[in-house]
Amino acid sequence: MSILIRDSLVDGAPQDVYVEDERIAEIGRRQEADVVIDGRDMACLPGLVNGHTHAAMTLLRSYADDMNLQDWLEQRIWPQEAKFRPEDIYWGTKLACLEMIRSGTTTFNDMYFFMEEAARAVADMGLRAVLSYGIIDRFDERKAETELKATEGFLRFVRNLRNPRILAAVGPHNMDTVSEGTLGSAKSLAVEEGVKVHFHLAETEREVEASRERYGKGPVRALDEMGFLGDWLVAAHCVWLSDRDARILGERGASAIHNPTSNMKLSVGRAFPYPSLRSAGVTMGLGTDGAASNDNLDLFEEIKQACLLQKFDTNDARVLPAGEAWNMATEGGADALGLPAGRLQEGKLADLILVDLTHPQLVPRHDLTSLLAYAANGSMVDTVICDGRILMREGHVEGEAEIIEGARARAEALRER
Amino acid sequence: MSILIRDSLVDGAPQDVYVEDERIAEIGRRQEADVVIDGRDMACLPGLVNGHTHAAMTLLRSYADDMNLQDWLEQRIWPQEAKFRPEDIYWGTKLACLEMIRSGTTTFNDMYFFMEEAARAVADMGLRAVLSYGIIDRFDERKAETELKATEGFLRFVRNLRNPRILAAVGPHNMDTVSEGTLGSAKSLAVEEGVKVHFHLAETEREVEASRERYGKGPVRALDEMGFLGDWLVAAHCVWLSDRDARILGERGASAIHNPTSNMKLSVGRAFPYPSLRSAGVTMGLGTDGAASNDNLDLFEEIKQACLLQKFDTNDARVLPAGEAWNMATEGGADALGLPAGRLQEGKLADLILVDLTHPQLVPRHDLTSLLAYAANGSMVDTVICDGRILMREGHVEGEAEIIEGARARAEALRER
């Protein structure tokens, strides 16, 4: 199957983008294809990569807001999550996929539970995802054993799916909820299986203090001594880091995923140290985190937020310019996940989007990258292609109404449970 | 002319909203009207009020980004503005109006130049606006005289328009660019004419320092001694304020307009002191500022940004909850401008919007206010009514393509000039 996008804007000039099967085969001039898309007045861009999500949390969107992190978790989120059933994860993830497609995301890196159901939703919806079961042992050896078993089972499950769009990762939750032994086993398992480790790192000050008490040093140095840091690590948040921590992450080849909206909404007390991580050469991506702390999965918003937060935090408007944030949301995220995607280049995966440049918010166009970072939102995405298949045309995704109804019904049932 | 919106969600329950001429005549059950709108699966809300804009700056959208404020102004913005012609203001304002209608704004408070052209654009587009000519005398008496004359001329022009949607205000720019004498004359003129004063207050630290040098005290206390503060004052930014300054503004009945995105993008170095202004009982609204420092005019984004910035700045996620930010963008802004709008109540001006609740980002709906603040964006607005006239239905605004083409052409001509 081949797709030809004609005359869309590629790096500032109208070009044709030719997709064959799951790859970008040619950028230039082409005559024919199975499907031809008129790309005039559109920007052709790599699909966005959401580097950190808990997709099925869409079911808890607008359920608990304006609360501090620990109260929010303990009083509102965890009690609801305890009531989740597998079917909820399927519909919640499906809603998240729908929303991500509509706003131009083609890949996401997800950590949650009942992940077989998340995989089923991703398979149905056509996106690309890296999925991990969130390991929490609360320093209990028996729990550790069942959690690692669950992870091994999920890795097997994904392997057997043989779906090129679905990859597994190992997901130890964070240092507060996972013991040193389990962190080590999780990492070894990931390295053996050749998959990534999806982890929450240094999100809160409390986590740093707990690490100091438990290990006598901050999270990054403690994890480094455990041999937990390496190019397998995709670390979400990375807020409470020193310059030295950033350098260690850089030396070990770990990736950092910034979640500015969630960090601000939950008042984690500091901003992602972008300048230090950049100097340290750390691969950086962007994530929305779960919808309950955002409350949408629109990466266009996240790009803008990342730029604004850095400018505010460093008091220097030159920090994190539009182009760098755009790169985080595309090639940075793809590199973190080890995917040949996030770039509009021949040979890369055909994960592409078209943005409608006739929207009044995108006029005039002195600088396309600035427009995309500061003026656009996900609702301006017209067409989405993932793995060489069209998932959205002219803002229309197949089966949308059924997904919305299904997710609504599950959210209602959850509240009444 | 009457309009009936049937079965839309009003304060959580499906109701009919009946509009007669320019007012909301009834909320409840109604049978007939000249125009009937099916409001099912829609939230009916007051139109948003953009409390601080420079509308025609849409022409400079994406022209200069990721620069510090003073460089941005001196190297990029001012040189372009010097080349603006009246026709540019007409098209730039028209594009801004189109964008505001599309994203649910029905009223804006604008300060710029060639304001007769801005008024013409507002008259054509059907929104409500408070317009002021931006007075800058740079401490030159002759300039002061011509600027005040220009303002008087514009007040007369607006009076003669007899357009109930268009009000004039007096617009001394800020303390850095306007002398004490002119500030006094501007205020007196506004009080005589019964109009508002639109002003930039304490946006930057530099402004506070300049005030200390010039007047021996900070801006608020200096202005208070001049008799400049009163319920006529609509003060944009209000970033660099002490608790005492906030109390003074509260006692004088002045209003403060928060512009979180612009403040972050231009790195003004502090956040709007929402908790102090709230304690002081100051009327507060929200603004986008000009598109060159935002880079869109979507107030839904601004509501979210205000909430997030306060949570980040105060390190307390309970500060500025969704409902309070929503009120700033509606009744707060309307109160600041002295308009009987911003509320869905019988007798208020019929400035209304319908938001499409079937968008996947607005599902499920545990709390509508949270959804509107955190999950929505302006692209989810379906219908806009201003002054009892329908400006948008199903996302469609009349003449959109012509406005986009016109604005594009002006922006291009401007660059080549």
Side-chain angles (χ1 to χ4, degrees):
Chain A
M1 152 101 166
S2 61
I3 304 171
L4 179 61
I5 303 166
R6 231 179 221 148
D7 292 320
S8 69
L9 220 57
V10 177
D11 293 329
Q15 295 198 61
D16 294 349
V17 178
Y18 180 70
V19 167
E20 211 166 58
D21 300 324
E22 83 287 0
R23 298 276 171 170
I24 300 172
E26 203 181 322
I27 297 176
R29 281 286 148 210
R30 263 281 175 168
Q31 295 311 318
E32 278 173 38
D34 298 336
V35 179
V36 177
I37 294 174
D38 182 358
R40 277 174 302 177
D41 289 321
M42 304 267 179
C44 185
L45 305 160
L48 303 180
V49 179
N50 193 339
H52 177 61
T53 58
H54 309 290
M57 287 186 90
T58 49
L59 294 192
L60 299 177
R61 187 186 345 249
S62 79
Y63 177 71
D65 299 289
D66 306 315
M67 295 177 74
N68 284 317
L69 204 157
Q70 219 51 36
D71 293 341
W72 176 77
L73 280 174
E74 290 169 12
Q75 294 167 23
R76 303 285 285 168
I77 299 301
W78 288 341
Q80 285 300 310
E81 287 184 338
K83 296 193 286 176
F84 270 5
R85 295 176 185 166
E87 200 72 354
D88 297 325
I89 301 300
Y90 175 71
W91 285 102
T93 305
K94 222 167 162 179
L95 176 63
C97 289
L98 170 61
E99 186 188 339
M100 287 193 272
I101 294 170
R102 294 248 333 220
S103 54
T105 292
T106 49
T107 295
F108 65 107
N109 182 34
D110 202 49
M111 180 201 291
Y112 217 45
F113 47 95
F114 299 136
M115 293 306 285
E116 291 78 5
E117 295 296 314
R120 192 156 69 92
V122 173
D124 288 358
M125 295 298 293
L127 281 84
R128 194 180 303 285
V130 178
L131 304 175
S132 50
Y133 169 74
I135 297 171
I136 293 184
D137 69 7
R138 298 199 190 282
F139 307 89
D140 170 332
E141 276 188 38
R142 216 129 34 131
K143 188 90 201 308
E145 210 173 299
T146 57
E147 291 286 90
L148 286 166
K149 279 251 162 64
T151 297
E152 286 166 357
F154 181 65
L155 293 179
R156 224 166 18 242
F157 174 86
V158 169
R159 210 182 302 123
N160 291 336
L161 281 181
R162 298 179 198 283
N163 184 328
R165 291 184 285 102
I166 303 179
L167 298 175
V170 176
H173 192 266
N174 69 6
M175 288 184 83
D176 259 5
T177 54
V178 185
S179 63
E180 181 171 357
T182 305
L183 289 173
S185 308
K187 184 221 85 176
S188 302
L189 182 59
V191 172
E192 273 164 36
E193 300 273 339
V195 301
K196 296 289 177 183
V197 173
H198 187 181
F199 186 67
H200 294 85
L201 176 61
E203 180 178 7
T204 62
E205 187 170 22
R206 175 194 150 110
E207 211 182 309
V208 176
E209 281 162 8
S211 171
R212 289 224 177 90
E213 270 176 40
R214 192 168 289 125
Y215 302 109
K217 51 198 62 124
V220 170
R221 288 175 55 212
L223 291 167
D224 197 28
E225 286 191 6
M226 296 176 204
F228 188 79
L229 308 180
D231 62 5
W232 51 79
L233 182 63
V234 184
H237 298 297
C238 296
V239 172
W240 287 86
L241 302 181
S242 66
D243 288 351
R244 180 174 168 186
D245 292 336
R247 280 197 303 275
I248 295 172
L249 290 177
E251 283 160 17
R252 301 294 172 260
S255 300
I257 307 295
H258 182 24
N259 299 269
T261 300
S262 169
N263 294 162
M264 293 174 82
K265 188 160 182 244
L266 296 174
S267 295
V268 301
R270 269 185 55 171
F272 181 80
Y274 178 77
S276 332
L277 288 162
R278 186 173 185 273
S279 307
V282 174
T283 300
M284 291 180 279
L286 278 181
T288 58
D289 208 346
S293 59
N294 191 306
D295 289 4
N296 61 44
L297 307 177
D298 181 346
L299 273 176
F300 282 89
E301 275 191 21
E302 221 58 43
I303 292 170
K304 182 170 184 174
Q305 198 59 264
C307 295
L308 296 179
L309 179 57
Q310 288 301 318
K311 290 167 190 348
F312 180 75
D313 189 56
T314 62
N315 202 15
D316 185 344
R318 297 166 303 179
V319 175
L320 194 38
E324 291 179 23
W326 180 257
N327 287 347
M328 287 171 79
T330 53
E331 56 188 60
D335 290 350
L337 300 175
L339 293 168
R343 291 168 179 84
L344 221 57
Q345 286 171 9
E346 293 172 4
K348 298 290 177 193
L349 287 169
D351 297 357
L352 307 173
I353 63 175
L354 295 178
V355 171
D356 176 8
L357 297 175
T358 67
H359 194 288
Q361 280 180 215
L362 304 182
V363 174
R365 191 169 67 239
H366 297 294
D367 183 303
L368 179 59
T369 306
S370 276
L371 280 183
L372 293 170
Y374 295 118
N377 67 44
S379 301
M380 291 157 204
V381 176
D382 177 272
T383 295
V384 174
I385 294 171
C386 180
D387 209 48
R389 270 188 57 219
I390 298 172
L391 305 186
M392 179 167 85
R393 270 299 280 137
E394 294 175 5
H396 177 78
V397 180
E398 221 178 299
E400 171 158 338
E402 293 79 359
I403 297 167
I404 286 172
E405 267 324 295
R408 251 192 204 146
R410 298 310 300 186
E412 219 153 288
L414 182 69
R415 286 188 66 164
E416 284 163 14
R417 208 167 283 157
Chain B
M1 152 97 167
S2 61
I3 303 172
L4 179 61
I5 303 167
R6 230 176 222 151
D7 292 320
S8 70
L9 220 57
V10 177
D11 293 330
Q15 295 198 64
D16 294 350
V17 177
Y18 181 70
V19 167
E20 210 166 60
D21 299 325
E22 83 286 2
R23 297 276 171 171
I24 299 171
E26 204 180 322
I27 298 177
R29 282 286 148 210
R30 264 281 177 168
Q31 296 308 316
E32 279 173 36
D34 298 336
V35 178
V36 177
I37 294 174
D38 182 359
R40 277 174 303 176
D41 289 322
M42 304 266 179
C44 185
L45 304 160
L48 302 179
V49 179
N50 194 339
H52 177 61
T53 58
H54 309 290
M57 287 186 90
T58 48
L59 294 193
L60 299 178
R61 189 191 334 256
S62 79
Y63 177 70
D65 298 290
D66 307 314
M67 295 178 74
N68 285 315
L69 205 156
Q70 219 51 37
D71 292 341
W72 177 77
L73 280 174
E74 291 169 11
Q75 294 167 22
R76 303 284 286 167
I77 299 301
W78 288 342
Q80 286 299 311
E81 287 185 338
K83 297 193 287 177
F84 270 5
R85 295 174 185 166
E87 199 71 355
D88 298 324
I89 301 300
Y90 175 73
W91 285 102
T93 306
K94 222 167 162 180
L95 177 63
C97 289
L98 170 62
E99 186 188 339
M100 287 192 271
I101 294 170
R102 294 247 332 219
S103 55
T105 292
T106 48
T107 296
F108 66 107
N109 182 33
D110 201 50
M111 180 201 290
Y112 218 47
F113 48 95
F114 298 135
M115 292 305 285
E116 291 78 4
E117 295 297 313
R120 191 156 71 91
V122 173
D124 288 357
M125 296 298 292
L127 281 83
R128 195 180 301 286
V130 178
L131 304 176
S132 50
Y133 169 74
I135 297 171
I136 292 183
D137 70 6
R138 299 199 190 282
F139 306 88
D140 170 331
E141 275 187 40
R142 222 139 19 143
K143 187 91 201 307
E145 210 173 300
T146 58
E147 291 287 89
L148 286 165
K149 278 250 163 66
T151 297
E152 286 167 358
F154 182 64
L155 293 178
R156 225 168 17 245
F157 174 85
V158 169
R159 209 182 302 122
N160 291 337
L161 280 181
R162 297 180 199 284
N163 184 328
R165 292 184 285 102
I166 301 179
L167 299 175
V170 177
H173 192 266
N174 69 6
M175 288 184 83
D176 259 5
T177 53
V178 185
S179 63
E180 182 172 357
T182 305
L183 289 173
S185 308
K187 184 221 86 176
S188 302
L189 181 60
V191 172
E192 272 165 36
E193 299 273 339
V195 301
K196 297 288 177 184
V197 172
H198 187 181
F199 186 67
H200 294 85
L201 176 61
E203 180 178 6
T204 61
E205 188 171 22
R206 173 193 150 111
E207 212 183 307
V208 176
E209 281 162 8
S211 170
R212 289 223 177 93
E213 270 176 41
R214 192 168 288 124
Y215 302 110
K217 51 196 61 125
V220 170
R221 289 173 56 212
L223 291 167
D224 197 29
E225 286 191 5
M226 296 177 202
F228 188 77
L229 308 180
D231 62 6
W232 50 79
L233 182 64
V234 183
H237 298 298
C238 296
V239 172
W240 287 85
L241 301 181
S242 65
D243 288 352
R244 180 174 169 188
D245 291 337
R247 281 198 302 277
I248 295 172
L249 290 178
E251 283 161 15
R252 301 293 173 260
S255 301
I257 306 296
H258 182 25
N259 300 269
T261 300
S262 168
N263 294 162
M264 293 175 81
K265 188 160 183 244
L266 295 174
S267 294
V268 301
R270 267 184 57 171
F272 182 80
Y274 178 77
S276 333
L277 288 162
R278 187 174 184 269
S279 307
V282 174
T283 300
M284 290 180 278
L286 278 181
T288 57
D289 208 345
S293 58
N294 191 306
D295 289 359
N296 62 45
L297 307 176
D298 181 348
L299 273 175
F300 281 89
E301 275 191 21
E302 221 58 44
I303 292 170
K304 182 170 185 173
Q305 198 59 266
C307 295
L308 296 179
L309 179 56
Q310 287 301 318
K311 291 169 190 347
F312 180 75
D313 188 56
T314 61
N315 202 16
D316 186 343
R318 297 165 303 179
V319 174
L320 193 39
E324 291 179 23
W326 180 257
N327 286 348
M328 287 172 79
T330 52
E331 56 189 61
D335 290 351
L337 299 177
L339 294 168
R343 290 167 179 85
L344 221 56
Q345 285 171 9
E346 294 171 5
K348 298 291 177 193
L349 287 168
D351 296 358
L352 307 173
I353 64 175
L354 294 177
V355 172
D356 175 9
L357 297 175
T358 67
H359 195 287
Q361 280 180 215
L362 304 183
V363 175
R365 190 168 68 238
H366 297 295
D367 183 302
L368 179 59
T369 306
S370 275
L371 281 183
L372 294 170
Y374 295 118
N377 67 46
S379 302
M380 290 157 205
V381 176
D382 177 271
T383 295
V384 173
I385 295 171
C386 180
D387 209 48
R389 271 186 58 217
I390 299 171
L391 304 187
M392 179 168 85
R393 270 299 279 139
E394 294 175 4
H396 178 78
V397 180
E398 222 179 298
E400 172 158 337
E402 292 79 358
I403 297 167
I404 287 172
E405 268 324 297
R408 250 190 207 151
R410 298 309 301 187
E412 218 152 288
L414 183 69
R415 286 189 66 165
E416 283 162 15
R417 208 167 282 158

